[in-house]
Amino acid sequence: MIDATLTTLLAVQNETASSFGEGPGSWTIGLVLVVLVSLGALLAAGQTLKRKPESHIDPAILRNFNKRVTSWLTICVMLVIALMLHRSVTIALFGFVSFWALREFITMTPTRRGDHRTLFWVLFGFTPLQYVLVGIDNYDLFTIVIPVYASLFIPARIAFAGDHKRFLERTAKIQFGLLICVYSLSHSAALLNLKLAKWNSDELKWEAWQNDTYGLLFFFIAIVQVSDILHFLWDRLFGRHVIAPAVNATKTWEGLLGAACCTSLVGMVIQVVLPVTPFTWWGAGFMALIISIMASSGSMTMSAIKRDRGVKEHGTLVLGHAGVLDRIDSICFAAPIFFHLTRFFTDAESKGVEVVVEQSVAAVTTGMSCFSSLV
């Protein structure tokens, strides 16, 4: 009887694990390969043009382009390794990136001695807490801890330090850094927690989306990459009207609109060829359009901050390249919008679709029932 019970338990666990979709699926792996090969080809082309002395392309533009592609390729490789290992490793990776980006932001914005204890709680308290809440999938808390509780804690802790000089300015700097570098970026990792539904146009009803959310996360990162590179190319090739010369002398309206439209087309093609999202093909195009606009907004916002502080780059984590914040500014602004739009339009619970129970919960439930039968 015990052998039969164990066999039943293992069979149910295996069935539940396969339905829950542990690890990236075939569509996700296909998208990963396409992105890595494309970035590798772009980098090879850029290096080839750089070595040709007869090239008519400005060497400074080539250097900037190669740095961009190299940075995105590095980010993709790190993300792929984390995705292949475990969901918790991916969340931890985003947590480390948030910590480092916040450190760069704080370094760029001078603080006073009275802020040091507050910064300790921000870096070693609220930052890891945010990703712990994402890891345990506590949506109700991870969406309010920083905007509400941290926003109240920071000014109170600075006030208790007894230093009132430039109080509002110092408080706002720390709050903004925590909001962008940690809270906003954590929505990227939170994409892994979503339980989604998709629209079945044949039967005219919502049904459970069976693919893994790793593909959804990588779709988001890939679209941000595409938008960043296309914006750079459109600015250099067709840019005529600069958006804000005092903020960023290279960002143009042509680059913004051209990158948004082309990125939308790329999103549609990805969904048609490699359906890694629960969206329709036109829905994927709409999401890609929103991601591109928000990514450009993030880049412009960080450019304004750098001009205000009189710095060129936020940091130099990788020698010869810009800092972490220079490469994730677009992700930080796009992530919360993409997360909440995805949840609003395709959340399984709101559509009345039954969600598959996670493996750990199913295993415990099955184990309890088997134990009852033994007794």
Side-chain angles (χ1 to χ4, degrees), residues 18-36:
S18 60
S19 62
F20 183 63
E22 288 290 337
S26 57
W27 292 122
T28 302
I29 295 174
L31 178 59
V32 167
L33 293 176
V34 170
V35 171
L36 292 179

Side-chain angles (χ1 to χ4, degrees), residues 37-227:
V37 170
S38 300
L39 289 174
L42 289 174
L43 182 60
Q47 294 293 345
T48 302
L49 291 173
K50 183 180 178 181
R51 295 190 187 98
K52 289 185 176 181
E54 67 275 8
S55 175
H56 298 290
I57 303 178
D58 188 350
I61 295 179
L62 280 176
R63 283 196 302 269
N64 196 347
F65 177 79
N66 290 336
K67 284 183 179 181
R68 245 171 230 277
V69 176
T70 302
S71 299
W72 280 118
L73 186 59
T74 303
I75 291 173
C76 278
V77 171
M78 293 174 62
L79 180 59
V80 168
I81 294 174
L83 290 175
M84 292 298 179
L85 291 176
H86 197 269
R87 170 181 170 275
S88 58
V89 178
T90 306
I91 296 175
L93 173 63
F94 278 98
F96 170 76
V97 173
S98 282
F99 178 88
W100 199 277
L102 181 58
R103 175 184 172 277
E104 287 183 355
F105 184 88
I106 296 300
T107 303
M108 182 182 62
T109 55
T111 55
R112 294 174 64 85
R113 185 180 181 85
D115 302 332
H116 291 177
R117 291 181 181 271
T118 304
L119 291 174
F120 172 84
W121 284 105
V122 166
L123 287 168
F124 299 100
F126 285 106
T127 298
L129 175 61
Q130 177 71 8
Y131 281 92
V132 168
L133 294 174
V134 171
I136 63 176
D137 191 16
N138 194 323
Y139 174 82
D140 293 335
L141 280 180
F142 99 79
T143 52
I144 66 169
V145 162
I146 289 178
V148 179
Y149 300 112
S151 296
L152 295 175
F153 173 84
I154 290 171
R157 187 64 189 84
I158 294 177
F160 273 93
D163 187 355
H164 62 84
K165 291 184 178 180
R166 305 202 320 270
F167 177 82
L168 286 177
E169 179 184 352
R170 290 154 48 207
T171 301
K173 288 176 182 177
I174 298 175
Q175 287 177 330
F176 182 81
L178 184 63
L179 182 70
I180 298 300
C181 300
V182 180
Y183 179 75
S184 294
L185 186 60
S186 69
H187 284 76
S188 300
L191 289 171
L192 298 176
N193 296 332
L194 292 177
K195 300 171 181 62
L196 306 174
K198 67 174 183 178
W199 176 252
N200 188 326
S201 57
D202 295 328
E203 301 182 10
L204 299 179
K205 68 175 185 178
W206 289 95
E207 61 184 20
W209 184 57
Q210 300 297 337
N211 293 356
D212 60 89
T213 49
Y214 293 98
L216 184 67
L217 172 59
F218 204 82
F219 171 83
F220 167 69
I221 298 297
I223 291 299
V224 173
Q225 292 178 352
V226 169
S227 175

